[in-house]
Amino acid sequence: MLKIGLTGGIGSGKSAVARRLVERGAVLVDADRIAREVVAPGTDGLAEVVATFSERVLAADGALDRAALGELVFADESARRRLEAIVHGRVRARTAELVAAAPPDAVVVNDVPLLVEVGLAATYHLVVVVRTEVETRLRRLARDRGMSRDEVERRIAAQADDARRAAAADVLLTNDGTLDELHAAVDALWRDRLVPYEVNLRQRRPVRLDRVRLIEPDPTWPQQYARLAARIRHAVAPADLRVDHIGSTAVTGLAAKDVIDIQLSVSSLAEADGPMADRLADVGFPRLPGDWWDTARTGGGRWEKRLHGSADPGRPVHLHIRETGSPGWRYALLMRDHLRADPDRRAAYLGLKRELAASAPESGAYATAKDPWFDEEHLRAEEWAAQTGWRP
């Protein structure tokens, strides 16, 4: 099933996004609600909280006095970490139960306020972050919850800042406007990305781009790669395999197809088959059908590989799985690093890409038409490698 991580700072409107997704058909798993359940009266969780922080965190009726506990932990990082150690494991276990109970074709939205802080982003197919200006959050929390400015500022300071959340976000929803505007953004996300992503994931269907359209360099491509690589590493764990950003989106200043190329290094291609292929498909990277290879630049023939794509219609990916040390593996890294180092060759390649995108926009024809240029570039790159002592 498709698992979405939803987060945002206090007062950002994350709960409004969660409610709208439920209205559209999502299954909601609310971490805050679960966190309350695991420290409800009579639970082991509450007993451990009281043992750690004393009975001053209990209300008169024996329930947890969340305000009293909040005063303790939001002003004291070590106290907050002790509380998290008590609560987080129990929340994870209950979350797993609820996710397992959802239908296999569900879009499961896990509303997690501290998703970024506790490093959970790589465990989801997609992370949605709700971002709202601090002043807007202050006004909303004073109006809706009666919270003082000092209290809100302390809680904001205890959470990840906007830049850290944005780095983890596959989707960033801005909520500084009206509720109708927020609903429209959520509806578009549901219709255009989440629903087709769920179908593609369930059917093991990668997204393919049949025509070439170059876009100008996107400064967020490296950050997007980092999020994708984290999911790939999570999928293949406990194996510690090398993952690299390759291709044009890995070279600053190059216009490119909006496809992130990634190389996963394996000891043999047999390792890429069987369970690894299934695990990659489960996290959103299904294998493309058929046999795949790179055109050999020396000696003729071809360099065999495995190729996976992305089931996410909002982020096309080519995941090339190659044997460590093989000619194709080395070539991908050498081409990237030479183009990064040589502005003249980078400019020449950009000119070729623009020309071919206009004259041969079909993906297959575009790739084949670049072969003569890459044959020459390969020789230049090898000379550069010898002169500089480059190693992959």
Side-chain angles (χ1 to χ4, degrees), residues 184-260:
V186 174
D187 291 351
L189 171 64
W190 177 263
R191 178 188 65 244
D192 299 336
R193 192 163 184 180
L194 301 188
V195 170
Y197 193 172
E198 185 283 318
V199 174
N200 290 344
L201 182 70
R202 180 161 36 90
Q203 296 183 355
R204 297 290 200 261
R205 184 170 64 201
V207 173
R208 298 298 307 273
L209 300 182
D210 295 327
R211 294 181 68 81
V212 174
R213 185 177 71 85
L214 297 184
I215 68 170
E216 293 306 305
D218 184 341
T220 73
W221 277 333
Q223 200 172 68
Q224 293 182 51
Y225 155 75
R227 292 194 296 269
L228 297 163
R231 292 188 177 108
I232 292 166
R233 292 189 182 98
H234 179 71
V236 301
D240 184 17
L241 303 182
R242 177 172 172 172
V243 183
D244 289 283
H245 189 188
I246 60 171
S248 294
T249 62
V251 180
T252 301
L254 271 184
K257 297 180 294 182
D258 193 16
V259 178
I260 304 293

Side-chain angles (χ1 to χ4, degrees), residues 69-314:
L69 181 61
E71 287 295 323
L72 288 175
V73 302
F74 282 107
D76 184 339
E77 183 177 351
S78 65
R80 187 172 72 253
R81 293 191 182 280
R82 291 198 301 274
L83 177 63
E84 290 170 353
I86 296 168
V87 173
H88 286 177
R90 291 175 168 87
V91 170
R92 284 194 293 270
R94 180 58 179 153
T95 296
E97 291 176 359
L98 294 173
V99 171
D105 62 348
V107 176
V108 177
V109 175
N110 196 358
D111 181 342
V112 188
L114 299 180
L115 183 152
V116 174
E117 291 84 343
V118 297
L120 293 176
T123 66
Y124 298 98
H125 294 101
L126 209 65
V127 171
V128 178
V129 171
V130 186
R131 182 171 66 185
T132 306
E133 293 296 330
V134 171
E135 286 301 321
T136 304
R137 294 159 65 185
L138 289 166
R139 288 195 303 272
R140 287 175 180 168
L141 290 166
R143 179 193 66 202
D144 299 338
R145 302 192 200 177
M147 296 175 68
S148 70
R149 186 182 187 94
D150 286 347
E151 182 181 3
V152 175
E153 288 179 342
R154 284 201 306 274
R155 297 201 177 203
I156 289 175
Q159 297 180 336
D161 61 21
D162 285 345
R164 189 174 167 198
R165 284 200 197 90
D170 300 287
V171 178
L172 197 59
L173 293 176
T174 300
N175 184 27
D176 291 306
T178 67
L179 185 60
D180 285 345
E181 289 171 335
L182 180 64
H183 283 174
V186 174
D187 291 351
L189 171 64
W190 177 263
R191 178 188 65 244
D192 299 336
R193 192 163 184 180
L194 301 188
V195 170
Y197 193 172
E198 185 283 318
V199 174
N200 290 344
L201 182 70
R202 180 161 36 90
Q203 296 183 355
R204 297 290 200 261
R205 184 170 64 201
V207 173
R208 298 298 307 273
L209 300 182
D210 295 327
R211 294 181 68 81
V212 174
R213 185 177 71 85
L214 297 184
I215 68 170
E216 293 306 305
D218 184 341
T220 73
W221 277 333
Q223 200 172 68
Q224 293 182 51
Y225 155 75
R227 292 194 296 269
L228 297 163
R231 292 188 177 108
I232 292 166
R233 292 189 182 98
H234 179 71
V236 301
D240 184 17
L241 303 182
R242 177 172 172 172
V243 183
D244 289 283
H245 189 188
I246 60 171
S248 294
T249 62
V251 180
T252 301
L254 271 184
K257 297 180 294 182
D258 193 16
V259 178
I260 304 293
D261 282 279
I262 299 173
Q263 179 167 275
L264 176 62
S265 305
V266 293
S267 58
S268 73
L269 289 180
E271 183 183 356
D273 300 327
M276 180 183 289
D278 290 336
R279 291 199 300 271
L280 288 169
D282 287 343
V283 301
F285 302 99
R287 176 174 289 183
L288 275 73
D291 297 325
W292 294 90
W293 60 87
D294 302 303
T295 301
R297 300 298 165 188
T298 55
R302 61 190 192 182
W303 299 325
E304 188 180 0
K305 65 180 177 181
R306 303 290 184 263
L307 185 63
H308 290 236
S310 170
D312 177 7

Side-chain angles (χ1 to χ4, degrees), residues 341-361:
D342 190 327
D344 291 337
R345 297 306 292 166
R346 190 164 61 244
Y349 183 40
L350 177 58
L352 174 72
K353 285 160 68 75
R354 293 194 188 282
E355 177 185 338
L356 294 180
S359 63

Side-chain angles (χ1 to χ4, degrees), residues 34-47 49 58 62-64 66 69 83 86-87 90:
I34 296 171
R36 291 176 183 272
E37 291 176 0
V38 300
V39 291
T43 62
D44 292 341
L46 180 58
V49 169
L58 285 179
L64 182 65
R66 300 183 69 85
L69 181 61
L83 177 63
I86 296 168
V87 173
R90 291 175 168 87

